[in-house]
């Protein structure tokens, strides 16, 4: 006869459970050999509200003077938009422009994630606590310039602190990029809870920003 206590409130993710037998009831006596099982909890719909579509939105404003992210006219309609299949903008595309790459990132497992941003010139990386852009906070910056995919030139500010994310939940993410003259690029990467590096973040973790969904959330 077994009387199992239901596990309520469990979140989607990967888990391990270890059981140790004892020679007497109540966990007393001589301990036997522990047995560990590994299992994954998935959301009821197989992916929560996070369905990565494979692209992320890039917005581009041309003829933007200045040297800082604050100079990007994000309150105005962009000159053009495009879809990226990886969290990385085009290289050596233009001079004196502003860019914003934004959408949703879908964590494959529950745990702590670390993010990086690399760019030429200045850039900022923002992440929300959910899919609402209103809840975003800045998690990494580049004040200056790096080489393409140079993730460690500014090891403190260029990298986020570990951030706890839940599998199956989508998070709004945004990279702002201000280019002056010379070469230009921007890319965002992350480290998964198991230590895997995905730099840049691939399209199978991403989906583009949805204006209508954002308006409904507000």
């Amino acid at each position: 006869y077994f009387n199992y206590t239901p596990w309520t409130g469990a979140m989607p993710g990967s888990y391990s459970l270890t059981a140790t037998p004892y020679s007497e009831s109540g966990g007393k006596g001589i301990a036997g050999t522990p047995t560990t099982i590994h299992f994954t909890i998935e959301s009821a719909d197989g992916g929560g509200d996070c369905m990565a579509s494979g692209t992320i939105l890039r917005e581009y404003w041309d003829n933007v003077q200045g040297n800082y992210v604050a100079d990007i006219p994000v309150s105005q309609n962009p000159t053009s938009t495009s879809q990226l299949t990886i969290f990385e903008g085009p290289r050596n595309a233009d001079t004196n422009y502003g860019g914003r790459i934004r959408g949703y990132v879908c964590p494959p497992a529950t745990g702590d994630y670390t993010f990086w941003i690399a760019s030429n010139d200045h850039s900022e990386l923002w992440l929300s606590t959910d899919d609402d852009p209103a809840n975003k906070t800045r998690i990494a910056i580049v004040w200056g310039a790096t080489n393409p995919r140079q993730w460690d030139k500014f090891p403190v500010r260029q990298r986020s602190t570990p951030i706890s994310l839940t599998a199956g939940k989508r998070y709004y993410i945004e990279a702002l990029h201000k280019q002056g003259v010379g070469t230009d690029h921007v890319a965002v990467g992350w480290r998964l809870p198991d230590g895997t590096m995905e730099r840049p973040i691939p399209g199978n973790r991403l989906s583009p920003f949805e204006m209508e969904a954002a308006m409904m959330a507000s």
Side-chain angles (χ1 to χ4, degrees), residues 59-62 64 72-81 98 100 102 211:
E59 298 166 299
Y60 164 84
W61 290 264
D62 67 359
V64 178
I72 304 173
V74 293
S75 61
Q76 302 176 18
N77 290 331
T79 306
S80 65
T81 63
R100 176 169 60 183
R102 59 173 175 162
M211 181 64 71

Side-chain angles (χ1 to χ4, degrees), residues 7 13-19 35-41:
W7 184 14
S14 298
Y15 298 86
S16 297
L17 177 65
T18 300
T35 298
T36 299
I37 61 172
H38 305 280
F39 60 97
T40 299
I41 295 178

Side-chain angles (χ1 to χ4, degrees), residues 110-135:
T110 296
D112 289 341
Y113 290 74
T114 301
F115 292 79
W116 285 263
I117 188 166
S119 67
N120 184 354
D121 296 310
H122 297 194
S123 63
E124 296 179 355
L125 181 61
W126 295 72
L127 182 71
S128 177
T129 55
D130 51 27
D131 61 359
D132 188 348
N135 298 323

Side-chain angles (χ1 to χ4, degrees), residues 47 50 103 127-128 157 197 204:
C50 187
L127 182 71
S128 177
R157 64 194 187 199
M197 293 288 195
N204 64 344

